[in-house]
Amino acid sequence: MRRAGTVEAGMPIPTASAILAARGDEVAPVADSSGRLVGVVTRGDLAGPVLPNGWQLELDPEAVVAAVMTHGPVVVRPGDDLGAVVSLMRTRALPAVAVGDGARVVGVLLLADAARAVDPVGR
């Protein structure tokens, strides 16, 4: 699990992108103005969609994180079985899940990190 600061759903995309880049994070939990977890956003989400021909669409500079985030995030607890979490992530094609302890988010778990922990030799 990686500790991750949240970004706000109403935050402009360029601001959120700069925050993730400055922290070296690939993903961040997204909170609403009251601090409630409402989504997860990746640096790829913030960069804009890539078309099949490889062209990347430019996002509206006024757009906010809520427009590109994954809504209804999956939240796991710190004590959950890691193998079961990896299976869930693979089944639902989730690159990351939020890790919550009660009502607060304590971090983010990336599928790549979790899979390595479950099977360090990559079988």
Side-chain angles (χ1 to χ4, degrees):
M1 177 186 75
R2 299 175 186 214
R3 298 249 179 242
T6 59
V7 295
E8 285 198 20
M11 181 180 286
I13 287 173
T15 304
S17 184
I19 289 171
L20 265 67
R23 293 192 306 220
D25 290 341
E26 290 297 318
V27 62
V30 181
D32 64 14
S33 59
S34 66
R36 185 177 60 93
L37 180 69
V38 294
V40 175
V41 70
T42 67
R43 286 173 83 176
D45 296 334
L46 298 170
V50 177
L51 300 175
N53 63 3
W55 290 18
Q56 186 166 4
L57 297 179
E58 189 171 317
L59 295 172
D60 178 350
E62 300 296 318
V64 295
V65 170
V68 297
M69 72 183 191
T70 299
H71 295 263
V74 172
V75 180
V76 299
R77 293 182 306 261
D80 286 351
D81 178 73
L82 194 54
V85 172
V86 168
S87 178
L88 170 74
M89 293 172 77
R90 286 181 172 151
T91 299
R92 295 176 81 185
L94 300 170
V97 293
V99 180
D101 186 13
R104 73 185 179 103
V105 176
V106 295
V108 172
L109 182 63
L110 301 178
L111 176 57
D113 293 345
R116 265 193 305 277
V118 169
D119 184 8
V121 291
R123 285 178 265 147

